[in-house]
């Protein structure tokens, strides 16, 4: 639809206002991170890097970054391998079975976080993996599997099923077919799935709060405590670092999809 | 028919069913006080207790307001995106995507810094002399709604934009060629075609909002307690597991019912795929 004159001006102004409303508030953590006071406040007397110093010199914050990174890597490995295997299976089994299994396996993504948190909390206490590394990794893997299945299923839908049939008819086992034929063709999808799984685990807070307490203390958990107790400006330094990483990540992702789109057009 | 690939499904299915769906099932059983002497007393308590009713009503009210605002703003952004040049669209998309990928905790922290009594907005207004005392912007519904709208707008933008992009432009040309004004074309053609996506996006945003925990807990500051936070209080502080389980079941049933409606309207896969 053509949009001209004042309606165009009005709609574009509104849209850019909303965009700034979305973008700008997040950035406010940046000046706070560079202030020189020991409270969460905007810099009034001067700038300093003391909160970043605290972040990188305090054992607690570094340990939490370590916990989060380790847990995210481990649960990404589990979620991507099981999820990819499952997605390939869903691609090849009869539709009713695929529908049923997919519906069951998407549940962790659909259920409200607090419901998952309570259920896993009780289960983890019962089987003795509450507040352990393996417990948090398993919880995060379960939450990430739906994202992996959806992403890999999308890239499988672009793959010609006859490739798989050809391999199978030449006598390759399903596993051989997976490794030699399917995986090389969906590697971009699998890589994207890995990114999703990593972010799901890295950002997860509600379930983590319920399945761990002090032995495993992830970064979001420590941030949550820092914000709730409302005393620790180191949280603003962490937020600033996360904003920088997020912005770079989004920029790289958009640029690469832009370039791929551009290459397709030529 | 032989199904050589069935084994591929098993590891993930065992993990999710055994360690997630079974525990959720146990939570549901707990809400009925177990198998031995099943009772509906926790559900009766939900229906009878005034304080719980108030929590449910607060949750419903906040989520409804949030959804309406988020969908309205999301529609405007999607509409502008669909009518922009590629460069401007990319820039607008970046403005939506960066906060979309930003941690929910970072966003809640940012709003806390902005809206507190000695926050950026109040200090600014006080300095200019426009107000004499700080405005109550946070630890109330206003703060919770702003934080939630901020989180949910992108979830409205993407599905609505996808529909607008896939729209057949000839529809609008046809309307214009038979003499409809741009406004008429928008109201009679554009809006009805995009309405299912708006409805679907709205329901999806509503579902997300119902289950929100972090944003209301931080920006509500203990004064605006929504359903998820109340469930966690019931477990961690007042130790009423049966009540928490029953409220979880209510939340779960509401979520699944709404998603079922979404799937009837637009197809849940498309919405989830785009989000």
């Amino acid at each position: 639809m053509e949009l001209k004159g004042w309606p165009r001006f009005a709609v574009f102004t509104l849209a850019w206002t909303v965009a700034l409303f979305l973008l700008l508030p997040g950035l406010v953590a940046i000046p706070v991170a560079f202030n020189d006071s020991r409270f969460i406040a905007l810099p009034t007397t001067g700038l300093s890097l003391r909160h970043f110093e605290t972040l990188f010199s305090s054992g607690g914050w570094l340990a939490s970054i370590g916990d989060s990174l380790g847990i995210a890597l481990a649960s990404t490995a589990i979620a991507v391998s099981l999820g990819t295997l499952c997605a390939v299976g869903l691609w090849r089994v009869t539709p009713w079975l695929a529908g049923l299994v997919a519906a069951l396996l998407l549940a962790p993504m659909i259920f409200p976080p607090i419901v998952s948190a309570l259920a896993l909390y009780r289960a983890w206490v019962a089987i003795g993996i509450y507040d352990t590394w393996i417990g948090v990794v398993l919880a995060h893997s379960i939450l990430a599997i739906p994202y992996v299945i959806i992403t890999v299923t999308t890239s499988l839908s672009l793959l010609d099923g006859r490739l798989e049939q050809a391999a199978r008819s030449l006598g390759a086992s399903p596993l051989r077919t997976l490794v030699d034929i399917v995986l090389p063709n969906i590697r971009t999808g699998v890589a994207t799935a890995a990114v999703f799984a990593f972010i799901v685990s890295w950002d997860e807070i509600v379930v983590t709060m319920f399945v761990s307490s002090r032995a495993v203390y992830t970064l979001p958990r420590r941030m949550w405590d820092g914000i709730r107790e409302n005393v620790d400006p180191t949280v603003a330094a962490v937020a600033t670092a996360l904003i920088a990483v997020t912005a770079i990540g989004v920029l790289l992702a958009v640029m690469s999809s832009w370039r791929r789109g551009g290459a397709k057009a030529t | 028919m032989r199904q050589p690939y069935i084994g591929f499904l098993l590891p993930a299915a065992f993990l999710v069913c055994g360690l997630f769906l079974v525990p959720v099932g146990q939570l549901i059983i707990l809400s009925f006080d177990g198998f031995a002497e099943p009772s509906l007393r926790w559900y009766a308590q939900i229906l009878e207790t005034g304080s719980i009713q108030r929590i449910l009503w607060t949750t419903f009210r906040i989520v409804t307001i949030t959804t309406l605002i988020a969908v309205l703003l999301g529609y405007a952004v999607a509409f502008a995106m669909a009518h922009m040049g590629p460069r401007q669209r990319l820039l607008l998309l970046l403005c939506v995507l960066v906060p979309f990928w930003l941690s929910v905790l970072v966003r809640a922290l940012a709003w806390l810094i902005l809206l507190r009594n000695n926050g950026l907005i109040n200090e600014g207004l006080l300095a200019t002399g426009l107000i004499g005392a700080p405005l109550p912007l946070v630890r109330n519904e206003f703060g919770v709604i702003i934080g939630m709208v901020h989180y949910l707008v992108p979830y409205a933008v993407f599905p609505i934009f996808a529909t607008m992009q896939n729209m057949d432009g000839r529809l609008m040309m046809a309307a214009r060629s038979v003499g409809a004004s741009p406004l008429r074309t928008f109201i009679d053609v554009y809006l009805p075609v995009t309405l299912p996506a708006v409805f679907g996006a709205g329901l999806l945003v509503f579902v997300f909002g119902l289950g929100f925990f972090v944003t209301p807990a931080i920006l509500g500051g203990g004064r605006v307690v929504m359903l998820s936070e109340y469930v966690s209080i019931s477990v961690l502080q007042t130790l009423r597991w049966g009540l928490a389980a029953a409220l979880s079941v209510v939340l779960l049933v509401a979520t699944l019912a709404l998603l079922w409606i979404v799937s009837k309207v637009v197809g849940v896969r498309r919405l989830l795929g785009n989000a």
Side-chain angles (χ1 to χ4, degrees):
Chain A
M1 192 165 82
E2 282 286 303
L3 206 57
K4 280 188 231 131
W6 71 264
R8 181 187 169 87
F9 180 75
V11 169
F12 279 31
T13 309
L14 180 59
W16 280 110
T17 312
V18 177
L20 293 180
F21 161 73
L22 293 178
L23 187 67
L24 291 182
L27 305 183
V28 79
I30 298 172
V32 173
F34 288 102
N35 85 350
D36 59 358
S37 124
R38 52 190 194 82
F39 304 106
I40 288 191
L42 287 179
T44 45
T45 47
L47 299 175
S48 98
L49 289 172
R50 60 185 278 188
H51 303 309
F52 287 95
E53 273 174 44
T54 316
L55 172 60
F56 290 113
S57 61
S58 93
W61 283 101
L62 284 183
S64 285
I65 293 175
D67 273 8
S68 273
L69 260 181
I71 287 167
L73 288 174
S75 52
T76 300
I78 295 177
V80 168
S81 44
L82 301 195
T84 303
L85 200 62
C86 184
V88 174
L90 291 174
W91 182 54
R92 287 289 97 177
V93 297
T94 41
W96 71 266
L97 184 63
L100 176 73
V101 174
L104 291 177
L105 292 191
L106 292 187
M109 175 174 163
I110 289 164
F111 286 13
I114 191 73
V115 177
S116 312
L118 289 198
L120 290 172
Y121 175 28
R122 280 171 52 83
W124 274 204
V125 169
I127 57 180
I129 55 172
Y130 171 74
D131 201 17
T132 63
W133 227 73
I134 183 73
V136 181
V137 167
L138 279 179
H140 286 191
S141 309
I142 289 169
L143 293 175
I145 278 178
Y147 292 88
V148 174
I149 291 181
I150 287 183
T151 315
V152 175
T153 298
T154 310
S155 63
L156 280 170
S157 67
L158 301 172
L159 184 62
D160 190 341
R162 284 173 301 184
L163 273 174
E164 180 267 348
Q165 283 165 3
R168 296 276 291 135
S169 70
L170 291 170
S173 70
L175 209 58
R176 241 297 57 102
T177 313
L178 174 74
V179 172
D180 287 346
I181 306 296
V182 180
L183 278 184
N185 279 297
I186 57 166
R187 56 181 189 276
T188 320
V190 175
T192 312
V195 173
F196 276 122
F198 186 91
I199 292 172
V200 167
S201 168
W202 177 259
D203 263 350
E204 215 296 318
I205 172 75
V206 181
V207 168
T208 310
M209 266 196 294
F210 278 80
V211 299
S212 67
S213 75
R214 291 286 149 170
V216 186
Y217 199 38
T218 64
L219 187 64
R221 182 75 202 263
R222 192 177 283 272
M223 289 175 71
W224 166 269
D225 289 344
I227 296 171
R228 289 275 276 200
E229 287 149 20
N230 207 8
V231 283
D232 193 353
T234 316
V235 184
V238 180
T240 302
L242 291 179
I243 291 167
V245 173
T246 308
I248 292 169
V250 169
L251 218 57
L252 287 179
V254 169
M255 263 161 55
S256 89
S257 78
W258 192 249
R259 205 169 295 150
R260 238 179 295 142
K264 225 175 268 169
T266 51
Chain B
M1 189 173 115
R2 273 193 68 235
Q3 303 245 13
Y5 281 93
I6 231 160
F8 282 24
L9 305 175
L10 296 180
F14 277 135
L15 188 67
V16 173
C17 293
L19 291 180
F20 182 79
L21 292 174
V22 168
V24 170
Q26 286 170 331
L27 191 68
I28 296 171
I29 293 168
L30 183 72
S31 77
F32 295 105
D33 269 345
F35 280 129
E37 283 174 71
S39 89
L40 289 170
R41 63 186 170 118
W42 298 112
Y43 293 94
Q45 195 172 346
I46 293 173
L47 288 176
E48 286 157 10
T49 314
S51 57
I52 299 176
Q53 300 275 304
R54 271 196 299 283
I55 301 269
L56 291 176
W57 171 238
T58 306
T59 307
F60 179 78
R61 187 177 57 230
I62 291 180
V63 176
T64 307
I65 297 172
T66 303
T67 303
L68 290 176
I69 301 175
V71 168
L72 213 65
L73 299 185
Y75 195 89
V77 172
F79 188 80
M81 249 190 218
H83 293 86
M84 277 172 168
R87 256 169 217 285
Q88 218 186 138
R89 177 186 303 157
L90 183 68
L91 213 59
L92 190 61
L93 186 69
L94 278 175
C95 288
V96 180
L97 274 178
V98 170
F100 179 71
W101 284 111
L102 206 53
S103 155
V104 62
L105 285 162
V106 173
R107 301 214 234 168
L109 171 72
W111 281 111
L112 205 59
I113 294 171
L114 282 170
L115 300 176
R116 284 184 316 165
N117 276 352
N118 53 352
L120 192 61
I121 292 176
N122 268 320
E123 298 264 295
L125 288 174
L126 283 170
T128 57
L130 279 171
I131 53 170
L135 298 171
L137 299 175
V138 79
R139 311 188 97 219
N140 55 25
E141 283 193 27
F142 178 81
V144 174
I145 289 173
I146 284 211
M148 284 179 62
V149 167
H150 185 251
Y151 193 89
L152 290 169
V153 167
Y155 288 91
V157 171
F158 297 130
I160 297 176
F161 175 63
T163 303
M164 287 177 176
Q165 237 191 349
N166 293 331
M167 224 165 135
D168 192 342
R170 286 172 302 181
L171 275 175
M172 265 72 65
M173 285 204 302
R176 298 281 286 133
S177 72
V178 293
S181 69
L183 189 65
R184 265 259 83 84
T185 312
F186 178 79
I187 292 172
D188 287 345
V189 181
Y190 201 89
L191 203 56
V193 174
T194 49
L195 220 48
V198 172
F199 191 63
L203 280 175
L204 203 67
V205 167
F206 192 90
V207 167
F208 273 133
L210 270 189
F212 253 44
F213 184 94
V214 172
T215 311
I218 290 176
L219 297 176
R223 291 192 203 166
V224 185
V225 176
M226 283 173 63
L227 188 50
S228 288
E229 194 184 3
Y230 187 72
V231 171
S232 100
I233 293 170
S234 303
V235 165
L236 300 177
Q237 286 169 30
T238 52
L239 305 175
R240 289 185 292 179
W241 265 101
L243 179 66
L247 284 168
S248 299
V249 172
V250 171
L251 183 57
L252 185 58
V253 170
T255 301
L256 294 179
L258 289 168
L259 285 178
W260 181 78
I261 299 174
V262 177
S263 73
K264 290 289 147 200
V265 179
V266 241
V268 75
R269 182 160 290 251
R270 212 173 93 208
L271 278 176
L272 291 175
N274 284 321

